[in-house]
Amino acid sequence: MTPDQIVFLIVALFTLGSGFMVVTSGNLVHAALWLISTLFGVAVTFALLNANFLAVVQVVVYIGAIAILFIFAVMLTRKDIRDQGPQVNKNWWFGALLSVSTFAGLYFLLQGWEGMSKTASAFPSGFDAVAELGNELISPTGYVLPFEVASVLLVAALVGAVYVAFNPRSGK
Amino acid sequence: MIPLSWFLIFAAALFSIGLFGVLSRRNAIAILLGIELMLNAVNINLAAFWRYGNVLNMAGQVFAIIVFAVAAAEVAVGLALVISVYRRRNTVIADDIDLMKW
């Protein structure tokens, strides 16, 4: 066991435990807070993969924006501070069965693949992943078109979200 | 070094947890929380395949960034819909939102 592997195991157990609390917690505010710790664990995983930009974006966009949006939505949609009744529907056992079998299927599929025990090669000398990613995102031979389409999608979705959530009774 | 399999199994477990949340929670916001977990699991896979494949090919990280943008768009529209439904029908329970079901 190298220190890398120990750190990974701790982070993975923390993330999976928080993820389990997200889907089982009865109080939705607690579920949203557990989501923050899950997202933080995923950010650490990105850092372990040397994807520095993704780790920072994970903290800024997911924890800073999406998780806060969830907490706002939870607080805007409750009559009572406590949630009443069961939090899972009557077919929850079917969902549990399906998710366990999905995991088992993925696990056995991956076991049969020869690339599984591959280890990462070291970066070439002078390679800067963040600079390379930035170049690729704006290069016409790289990914400038998907990047611009994603920004148009984001603007359209946010305008649509404002329109859908707009309350005509309170507007003038 | 950490073998690739550890990341892939971790991502598969996170995806399955998210799938359970999507399939079994009653609250529409909790379903969206499950979708976020699934998208994060996919992003771990994309970053892991970038790192363990050819690092000079940035497609994995670029795709992960596109997934970030789509997730932000999805959660904004989804939560706006939930808030709008709550305002009109006074419920966020997915089973009760059955106006278009017959």
Side-chain angles (χ1 to χ4, degrees), chain A residues 7 47 67:
Chain A
V7 169

Side-chain angles (χ1 to χ4, degrees), chain A residues 60-130:
Chain A
V60 171
V61 173
Y62 260 107
I63 300 177
I66 293 180
I68 302 303
L69 201 58
F70 267 112
I71 293 174
F72 268 107
V74 170
M75 288 176 174
L76 283 172
T77 55
R78 50 174 51 210
K79 298 184 280 286
D80 195 350
I81 197 71
R82 301 288 306 171
D83 295 300
Q84 263 92 34
Q87 286 298 302
V88 291
N89 57 28
K90 59 183 183 297
N91 290 328
W92 70 270
W93 58 271
F94 183 69
L97 188 72
L98 203 61
S99 56
V100 168
S101 53
T102 302
F103 177 71
L106 283 172
Y107 185 80
F108 285 113
L109 190 71
L110 291 171
Q111 286 301 314
W113 179 50
E114 71 273 14
M116 276 300 275
S117 54
K118 204 170 162 183
T119 51
S121 51
F123 280 153
S125 65
F127 178 74
D128 184 354
V130 179

Side-chain angles (χ1 to χ4, degrees), chain B residues 27-87:
Chain B
N27 192 312
I29 295 173
I31 293 174
L32 286 172
L33 289 173
I35 293 177
E36 291 307 310
L37 293 185
M38 292 164 83
L39 288 169
N40 269 281
V42 171
N43 268 351
I44 292 172
N45 268 359
L46 289 170
F49 280 119
W50 164 76
R51 183 67 187 87
Y52 287 78
N54 178 10
V55 288
L56 295 174
N57 183 354
M58 301 303 286
Q61 283 212 44
V62 172
F63 210 118
I65 287 173
I66 305 286
V67 172
F68 278 132
V70 172
E74 167 257 323
V75 80
V77 174
L79 291 177
L81 281 172
V82 171
I83 289 171
S84 182
V85 166
Y86 178 73
R87 198 179 282 140

Side-chain angles (χ1 to χ4, degrees), chain A:
Chain A
M1 289 286 254
T2 62
D4 271 13
Q5 295 179 333
I6 294 165
V7 169
F8 175 82
L9 285 180
I10 293 169
V11 170
L13 284 178
F14 170 77
T15 309
L16 291 178
S18 324
F20 190 74
M21 291 305 290
V22 171
V23 295
T24 54
S25 175
N27 189 333
L28 265 186
V29 178
H30 291 175
L33 293 175
W34 281 113
L35 179 75
I36 290 178
S37 74
T38 311
L39 297 176
F40 196 76
V42 175
V44 177
T45 312
F46 285 146
L48 283 173
L49 282 165
N50 302 103
N52 305 345
F53 184 72
L54 290 186
V56 172
V57 169
Q58 175 85 8
V59 173
V60 171
V61 173
Y62 260 107
I63 300 177
I66 293 180
I68 302 303
L69 201 58
F70 267 112
I71 293 174
F72 268 107
V74 170
M75 288 176 174
L76 283 172
T77 55
R78 50 174 51 210
K79 298 184 280 286
D80 195 350
I81 197 71
R82 301 288 306 171
D83 295 300
Q84 263 92 34
Q87 286 298 302
V88 291
N89 57 28
K90 59 183 183 297
N91 290 328
W92 70 270
W93 58 271
F94 183 69
L97 188 72
L98 203 61
S99 56
V100 168
S101 53
T102 302
F103 177 71
L106 283 172
Y107 185 80
F108 285 113
L109 190 71
L110 291 171
Q111 286 301 314
W113 179 50
E114 71 273 14
M116 276 300 275
S117 54
K118 204 170 162 183
T119 51
S121 51
F123 280 153
S125 65
F127 178 74
D128 184 354
V130 179
E132 187 66 26
L133 177 64
N135 282 333
E136 285 287 325
L137 275 179
I138 55 161
S139 125
T141 56
Y143 301 96
V144 69
L145 190 62
F147 183 65
E148 296 298 332
V149 169
S151 56
V152 172
L153 171 77
L154 205 51
V155 172
L158 291 179
V159 172
V162 170
Y163 178 75
V164 168
F166 181 69
N167 187 356
R169 273 172 294 175
S170 70
K172 293 279 181 280

